[in-house]
Structure formats: structure tokens, C-alpha cells
């Protein structure tokens, strides 16, 4: 029997996990729990590939994965059945059979993250692990001006982690929007791909500028320095969400509402897939 390829859209709260990727040591990861649950439903060992790995304490509202199976199962089995075997903070929210050429990582033409900041003099209790809290008042207009510098194709060496294993620091930022609703400030970033800690380093620079501790022009200075030591602090992981991976239309990857779902609706700019 020939194997079929199945794509899933997965949502998870990363607080209790050591990141997405399964590790050789026995530590909790999202991939480990998802593969275990899928293997029970498929009745054979399942290995998954994701669109973009996430670090410890980072969340996802629409992580895309694929796996191969020779098991005959319904969409409900890959959603409701798998969810019954998952921890409460991981859930499959969509599933679909895919063409054999589909690859969750290599077929993706862009990825999108949102970084959620909660700006308030007092720390939150209810969302303490789902947002990045700052007691400082942030000037969103300055942050928006600074973020424009990052749009386009650049060498982002100043924004990559020291241990980043990417072959090149060059990435293309397709859109960088910043929204505010009440005490939430959201960095909404879409790119062809990202470097390790890239978004959290963007957040660190923009929060510093928003707090008035550096001028708007500092963003360009950091970018052009191509030196991580010039880039200031790395933002905490708690506010970071993987919210979308985009694919050519012919693959018909399931789409879900853009998250994280506690946020108010923001007017969406018109986007085009990169060529």
C-alpha cells in the first residue's frame, strides 16, 4: 500500500515545553507529544516535519506539519482522535490529505509571527505566560517608524543568535506591521524565513526605542552594524507566536483564523505571496 501525505495545522502553548523539536534527552517538546499521539492513531511510528521550529516557551496558533502514513484514517481521526491523546495545551485544529510533493518546510514561501507586548505599570496575572510584559510606556509611532528599516532584503547579522546555524544571515522581510489595542502592542512580521532569535531581537530593539531610551535612527545603526553585540537585549520568549505559513495555492493547505485568538481583530493589509 502506498503511503499518503497528511498535513496538520497545530496550535500549542509553549510554556511547559523545551521548544518544538524532539531531543535525544527525555525532555518535554511539542514534537515529541504530537508524534506519540499520531503514532497511536496511525498504529505505526509517525515522524513529523514542521514549517518552522519554535524555542522553549514560544507558542503557535497555526504551526503546519506533515507526515507520511499508510493508515486509512478520516479527518476526524487526525483531529479529534489525535487531540484525545494530546496534553491540553497542544491541539490539532485542521487536517488534510496532501499531494506527495508537499513539504511543510520546503514548500512554504513565507512564515509569519506575532510578538505580543503588554505595556502596563503593573504586571498581568492571567496572561503572565502568554505575553511579554513591560512596565514602561511605549511610543508606538516611534516603533512603527523604526520597523520600516527592516522591511526588504538585508543582512540581519545584528539580529541573529550567537549560536544560529543558518548558512546565511540574509533574509527578506515582506511586511512588518505594529498594532496597538489598549495595553496590547503587537509586532506582526512576515518573511521568507527567519534567523534564530531574530524576532525577539527585533522586539528588544523596538521596545528600547519605544521607551525613549534610543532614537528611531538607532534601528538602522544596529542593522548596518551587522554585529549582534550592537543589538541590545533579546526580548523574552513568552510573547512570541508562530501564526501562519503560506504555501502556493495548489497545495490547498488548511487555513485557520489568524491568532493568537485572545487578540482583537486588526485590519489586515493586502498581501501577495512572494515569487
Amino acid at each position: 500500500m502506498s503511503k499518503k501525505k497528511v498535513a496538520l495545522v497545530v496550535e500549542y502553548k509553549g510554556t511547559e515545553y523545551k521548544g518544538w523539536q524532539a531531543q535525544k534527552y527525555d525532555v518535554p517538546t511539542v514534537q515529541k507529544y504530537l508524534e506519540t499521539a499520531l503514532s497511536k492513531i496511525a498504529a505505526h511510528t509517525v515522524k513529523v516535519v514542521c514549517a518552522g521550529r519554535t524555542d522553549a516557551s514560544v507558542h503557535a496558533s497555526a504551526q503546519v506539519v506533515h507526515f507520511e502514513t499508510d493508515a486509512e484514517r478520516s479527518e476526524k481521526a487526525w483531529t479529534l482522535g489525535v487531540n484525545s491523546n494530546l496534553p491540553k495545551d497542544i491541539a490539532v485544529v485542521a487536517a488534510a490529505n496532501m499531494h506527495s510533493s508537499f513539504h511543510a518546510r520546503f514548500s512554504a514561501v513565507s512564515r509569519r509571527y506575532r510578538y505580543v507586548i503588554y505595556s502596563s505599570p503593573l504586571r498581568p496575572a492571567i496572561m503572565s505566560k502568554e505575553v511579554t510584559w513591560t512596565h514602561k510606556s511605549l511610543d508606538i509611532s516611534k516603533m512603527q517608524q523604526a520597523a520600516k528599516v527592516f522591511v526588504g532584503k538585508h543582512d540581519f547579522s545584528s539580529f541573529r543568535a550567537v549560536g544560529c546555524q543558518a548558512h546565511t544571515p540574509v533574509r527578506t522581510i515582506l511586511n512588518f506591521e505594529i498594532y496597538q489595542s489598549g495595553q496590547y502592542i503587537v509586532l506582526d512580521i512576515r518573511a521568507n524565513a527567519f534567523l534564530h532569535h531574530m524576532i525577539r531581537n527585533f522586539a528588544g530593539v523596538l521596545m528600547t526605542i519605544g521607551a525613549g531610551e534610543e532614537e528611531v535612527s538607532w534601528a538602522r545603526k544596529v542593522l548596518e552594524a551587522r554585529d549582534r553585540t550592537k543589538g541590545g537585549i533579546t526580548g523574552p520568549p513568552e510573547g512570541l507566536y508562530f501564526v501562519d505559513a503560506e504555501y502556493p495555492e495548489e497545495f490547498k493547505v488548511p487555513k485557520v483564523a489568524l491568532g493568537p485568538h485572545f487578540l482583537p481583530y486588526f485590519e489586515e493589509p493586502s498581501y501577495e505571496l512572494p515569487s
Side-chain angles (χ1 to χ4, degrees), residues 117-128 131-137 183:
I117 302 163
Y118 184 83
S119 176
S120 172
L122 301 175
R123 65 174 176 83
I126 293 174
M127 300 295 294
S128 61
V131 297
T132 287
W133 170 59
T134 177
H135 68 276
K136 300 173 183 178
S137 178
Q183 292 167 305

Side-chain angles (χ1 to χ4, degrees), residues 137-159:
S137 178
L138 302 179
D139 186 328
I140 187 174
S141 63
K142 289 184 178 180
M143 296 171 70
Q144 290 169 329
Q145 291 177 56
K148 292 177 182 178
V149 171
F150 305 135
V151 177
K153 186 176 181 179
H154 303 286
D155 180 328
F156 287 103
S157 293
S158 293
F159 295 91

Side-chain angles (χ1 to χ4, degrees), residues 17-231:
Y17 302 99
K18 301 297 183 183
W20 161 266
Q21 189 173 13
Q23 301 178 30
K24 60 181 179 181
Y25 304 105
D26 188 21
V27 297
T29 68
V30 179
Q31 182 181 8
K32 172 186 173 181
Y33 281 101
L34 180 60
E35 289 180 342
T36 299
L38 283 167
S39 297
K40 289 181 180 179
I41 299 301
H44 65 78
T45 299
V46 172
K47 297 295 182 183
V48 302
V49 176
C50 72
R53 292 179 292 184
T54 53
D55 290 337
S57 299
V58 175
H59 321 291
S61 60
Q63 175 71 267
V64 178
V65 308
H66 83 257
F67 63 94
E68 293 185 343
T69 181
D70 53 15
E72 293 289 343
R73 301 289 186 269
S74 66
E75 181 182 330
K76 284 187 176 181
W78 297 131
T79 53
L80 297 177
V82 173
N83 286 345
S84 68
N85 290 280
L86 284 170
K88 299 300 184 184
D89 49 9
I90 306 174
V92 178
V93 295
N97 291 322
M98 305 301 293
H99 189 272
S100 60
S101 63
F102 175 77
H103 193 284
R105 179 184 175 190
F106 296 127
S107 298
V109 293
S110 75
R111 294 156 180 84
R112 184 172 178 179
Y113 286 81
R114 281 177 163 177
Y115 190 88
V116 184
I117 302 163
Y118 184 83
S119 176
S120 172
L122 301 175
R123 65 174 176 83
I126 293 174
M127 300 295 294
S128 61
K129 300 296 185 181
E130 287 81 40
V131 297
T132 287
W133 170 59
T134 177
H135 68 276
K136 300 173 183 178
S137 178
L138 302 179
D139 186 328
I140 187 174
S141 63
K142 289 184 178 180
M143 296 171 70
Q144 290 169 329
Q145 291 177 56
K148 292 177 182 178
V149 171
F150 305 135
V151 177
K153 186 176 181 179
H154 303 286
D155 180 328
F156 287 103
S157 293
S158 293
F159 295 91
R160 70 189 300 190
V162 173
C164 179
Q165 298 179 354
H167 296 303
T168 173
V170 176
R171 294 291 186 269
T172 301
I173 302 294
L174 301 165
N175 305 90
F176 200 139
E177 310 291 336
I178 302 181
Y179 316 107
Q180 182 170 18
S181 178
Q183 292 167 305
Y184 291 122
I185 297 173
V186 182
L187 314 184
D188 190 338
I189 312 165
R190 179 171 164 265
N192 64 335
F194 291 91
L195 301 166
H196 193 201
H197 287 179
M198 185 174 174
I199 299 168
R200 290 169 58 190
N201 289 329
F202 283 153
V205 166
L206 293 174
M207 290 169 70
T208 299
I209 291 171
E213 296 166 3
E214 292 286 355
E215 298 296 325
V216 171
S217 59
W218 185 55
R220 183 175 297 279
K221 291 178 182 178
V222 173
L223 178 65
E224 294 178 349
R226 300 181 182 180
D227 181 348
R228 177 67 202 115
T229 65
K230 307 297 183 184

